[in-house]
Amino acid sequence: MIEFKHISHQYDHLPSVHDISFSVNSHEVVGLLGPSGCGKSTILRLAAGLETPSQGEIWLKGEKIADATTSLRPEDRGIGMVFQDYALFPHMTIMDNILFALNSQSYNKLSQGQKNKMALDSLEQTHLTDYRDSFPHQLSGGQQQRVALARALAPNPALILLDEPFSGLDVRLKEQIRDDMLHVLHEIGTAVLIVTHDSEEAMFMADRLLVMDKGAIIQSGAPVDVFCRPDNAFVAEFFGEVNRFETSVKNGMADTPFGLFPVEDIDDTEHATMIIRNDGLIIDPRGEVTDAVVVETIMLGRYSIVHLELNWQRLGAMHLHARVPGITWYDAGTEVSIKLDNSQVFVFS
């Protein structure tokens, strides 16, 4: 549906993205994931026509819409966009906000009745029909977010761009709204490109992830592949809190505080990095060997974070965090045994 071919862009001679190439297919949700300033929003602006690439080409439905010298106007691209702050007109009703998306020259041949039907269809898709005559300030944040989606859907776009669409919602509402939105997007089958810095949100929404850092795509793939098989420490750390420390590798085994750990494709080295996700530390209070002492337990409802201290001959005193599912409590000073979940442990040269 849309394809980026060796796209580069810069702001006032400062590089923003460099040599980006990827595509988004119809019926596919692709997530751009990365920290603030990595270039993901720039890619969204390039797709929308709000920026022009300094190098490369952008193709939409088999036609070139932008390169370094030419760029199709945003209103002529047939692309819907949901902004981070929704960008609703406060003086217009919900119906009028959605009809505004049908005011460009592309829809001049349509009668007002046809435009009204398109707007009402998008309201029905997002379960907002009862609010057609309301104003934005009369709606909750979640409802306003759905209005922004309805406005993006009204012109039947080939591609929808979502720019941090859930960042302004509280946690419980965010979970509900993103679930509702995902169902709507799957029903209409359009191509979707979503930008987020929230790894859980990206995994929930996307069929394919593109992890970005410093203007480049450093790993891409299905969420399960990127999460379970990160290419480097940056990607591994981006999917939640981790314990990180330096180690060595000899004869295919990494040295750890809990014994030797098998690794692949790493030559013998004194300078390797070990990443253990918090979920990868399994606490056994009845273990035969005492590995660590509990410093404190922080209970967060669905899981608890247990702070641990242990001594390792290689590095001395170490402070580690373990995430334990369910309602769990260990008193400070409790001696425990630690095991590793090998699927949550990564070693990089």
Side-chain angles (χ1 to χ4, degrees), residues 7 103 205 210 218 223 228 252 320 326:
I7 289 294
N103 282 340
M205 294 290 295
L210 308 176
I218 58 175
C228 295
L320 303 177

Side-chain angles (χ1 to χ4, degrees), residues 136-151:
H137 73 272
Q138 297 174 312
L139 274 58
S140 68
Q143 290 168 331
Q144 291 183 39
Q145 196 267 358
R146 281 156 53 196
V147 173
L149 177 61
R151 184 176 60 187

